Amino acid sequence: MGSAAAYHLARRGVRVLGLDRFGPAHDRGSSHGGSRIIRQSYFEDPAYVPLLLRAYELWAELAERSGREVYRLTGGLFVGPPDCLTVAGSQRAATEWSLPHEMLDAAEIRRRFPTLTPGAGDVALYEAKAGFARPELTVAAHLDLAAREGATLRFDEPVLEWSDGPRGVEVRTARGSYTAGQLVVCPGAWAPALLTELGIPITIERQVLYWLDPVGGTAAFEDHPVYIDENARGQQIYGFPAIDGPRGGVKTAFFRKGRECTPETIDRTVTDREVDEMRERVIQLLPALSGPAVHTATCMYSNTPDEHFVITRPEGYANVTVACGFSGHGFKFVPVVGEVLADLAIDGVTHHPIGLFDPRRLVTT
């Protein structure tokens, strides 16, 4: 989100300084792992769809301006019992916004996608415009374009504290202090530490990503849709085509199956038991993914209590804009969130519908 904000602000002629505690497109937060699902039939809430439609326009623009394959449309299958959130929620959003989609029964899923073995009572919503974004390439593309537009970007410079006053903001880092007219804070998993005074309830959760070696090789998974599968217990998994070559395996993961942590205490070691649990679940849908893990990685979700985002000009802070709490489903919005943050920092308002992301909804009285 910070890289996109830096780009959109610099593109509008604003003098921009970007600060990151690590290097560019790093793997210590929540923006790595090679792929993120993008989709429009949004089961989380139909209110996200207008932002997604704009995000898709900006994904295409980013790819063109950067010359990088920052995203790819592969089609997407959202599978489970007809009344589960993954299916019913996707169908609700698709219907409400007249999004092109197909509803498939289990037999049709198996016929069209032979790698999948859904349960007899399962159905799927198929969305041709779904696919995946490449997080590291996306961040790098935004940073490169921001620099091209004149932004100054500084890395390996952790922010220690910030303050807002009548004449602007001050940010203190491990290297020095800076003043500016406006501050945009996109802290990711560091939100609890950097936004303490704002009282936004965010918990950080460790998540694990798995690349499994499919029986018979990766060929059957190279031209493959992304998927989200929900079982009768409401447990969701998701996965991608094979995009890392014949030896790269096929990426899959649980959605919202982690344990609370902080950026300092996260356990980066993935155990054999975790791999076994992932494999046991995913082979229910994709039996070929019964091979060993060729790679694993960890990342962090920054969760709000209702799992909706926080994008705001906080009350009492005249010169500050905050974006946080993306709750494991925010990356597909990166380009449009950058645009929103530029609007808010320059004009104080945006025409985009962001009422759902007002943090006042999270305040209990």
Side-chain angles (χ1 to χ4, degrees), residues 158-163 170-174 176-178 183 193-194:
V159 170
L160 304 178
E161 60 182 5
W162 57 270
S163 60
E170 182 175 1
V171 176
R172 187 169 68 86
T173 75
S177 296
Y178 307 93
L183 174 65
L194 285 174

Side-chain angles (χ1 to χ4, degrees), residues 30-59:
S30 308
S31 301
H32 60 284
S35 55
R36 292 289 186 277
I37 288 177
I38 58 174
R39 52 193 166 91
Q40 294 182 354
S41 54
Y42 218 59
F43 61 74
E44 286 84 350
D45 195 310
Y48 285 87
V49 173
L51 290 173
L52 287 163
L53 297 177
R54 177 56 178 161
Y56 266 60
E57 295 174 348
L58 292 171
W59 279 114

Side-chain angles (χ1 to χ4, degrees), residues 206 208 210 259 269-278:
R206 172 186 179 268
V208 182
Y210 305 83
R259 56 179 181 267
T269 301
V270 179
T271 66
D272 291 342
R273 181 177 179 180
E274 288 177 304
V275 173
D276 291 343
E277 188 176 16
M278 182 75 253

Side-chain angles (χ1 to χ4, degrees), residues 5-291:
Y7 162 59
H8 281 281
L9 284 163
R11 190 180 183 186
R12 299 186 196 184
V14 176
R15 187 182 179 197
V16 174
L17 170 65
L19 299 167
D20 196 312
R21 70 183 296 117
F22 298 115
H26 60 79
D27 65 354
R28 311 314 293 167
S30 308
S31 301
H32 60 284
S35 55
R36 292 289 186 277
I37 288 177
I38 58 174
R39 52 193 166 91
Q40 294 182 354
S41 54
Y42 218 59
F43 61 74
E44 286 84 350
D45 195 310
Y48 285 87
V49 173
L51 290 173
L52 287 163
L53 297 177
R54 177 56 178 161
Y56 266 60
E57 295 174 348
L58 292 171
W59 279 114
E61 179 184 287
L62 180 64
E64 181 178 0
R65 295 204 74 204
S66 68
R68 303 187 189 199
E69 190 194 42
V70 292
Y71 77 106
R72 185 190 302 174
L73 301 185
T74 62
L77 280 167
F78 312 121
V79 186
D83 59 349
C84 75
L85 175 64
T86 302
V87 174
S90 297
Q91 189 173 17
R92 175 188 170 205
T95 301
E96 184 170 323
W97 290 98
S98 300
L99 302 174
H101 68 284
E102 300 175 68
M103 297 304 301
L104 310 179
D105 63 18
E108 184 67 3
I109 296 168
R110 289 192 291 269
R111 187 187 70 80
R112 289 176 55 175
F113 306 100
T115 57
L116 277 65
T117 57
D122 285 347
V123 299
L125 182 143
Y126 177 74
E127 180 187 324
K129 289 188 176 181
F132 64 89
R134 297 179 180 268
E136 293 91 342
L137 285 182
T138 296
V139 174
H142 276 127
L143 292 174
D144 290 348
L145 291 174
R148 189 188 303 175
E149 297 286 352
T152 298
L153 306 174
R154 299 189 179 179
F155 301 99
D156 300 306
E157 188 166 354
V159 170
L160 304 178
E161 60 182 5
W162 57 270
S163 60
D164 184 22
R167 291 184 291 180
V169 296
E170 182 175 1
V171 176
R172 187 169 68 86
T173 75
R175 297 185 187 177
S177 296
Y178 307 93
T179 58
Q182 293 286 325
L183 174 65
V184 177
V185 187
C186 305
W190 286 262
L194 285 174
L195 304 179
T196 303
E197 295 182 5
L198 302 187
I200 301 171
I202 292 178
T203 57
I204 310 306
E205 190 175 87
R206 172 186 179 268
Q207 299 292 327
V208 182
L209 314 173
Y210 305 83
W211 286 257
L212 301 176
D213 189 17
V215 174
T218 58
F221 291 88
E222 290 170 4
D223 183 17
H224 198 276
V226 298
Y227 64 87
I228 301 173
D229 176 64
E230 182 174 339
N231 63 19
R233 301 192 305 275
Q235 182 188 65
Q236 293 168 305
I237 61 170
Y238 64 95
F240 300 86
I243 62 174
D244 299 311
R247 299 182 181 178
V250 175
K251 181 183 172 186
T252 188
F254 288 103
F255 188 49
R256 306 200 185 286
K257 181 177 172 57
R259 56 179 181 267
E260 194 168 329
C261 68
T262 70
E264 293 73 33
T265 63
I266 181 173
D267 184 356
R268 299 283 182 180
T269 301
V270 179
T271 66
D272 291 342
R273 181 177 179 180
E274 288 177 304
V275 173
D276 291 343
E277 188 176 16
M278 182 75 253
R279 186 188 298 109
E280 180 180 349
R281 172 65 176 89
V282 75
I283 63 174
Q284 297 170 19
L285 181 68
L286 296 108
L289 297 187
S290 58

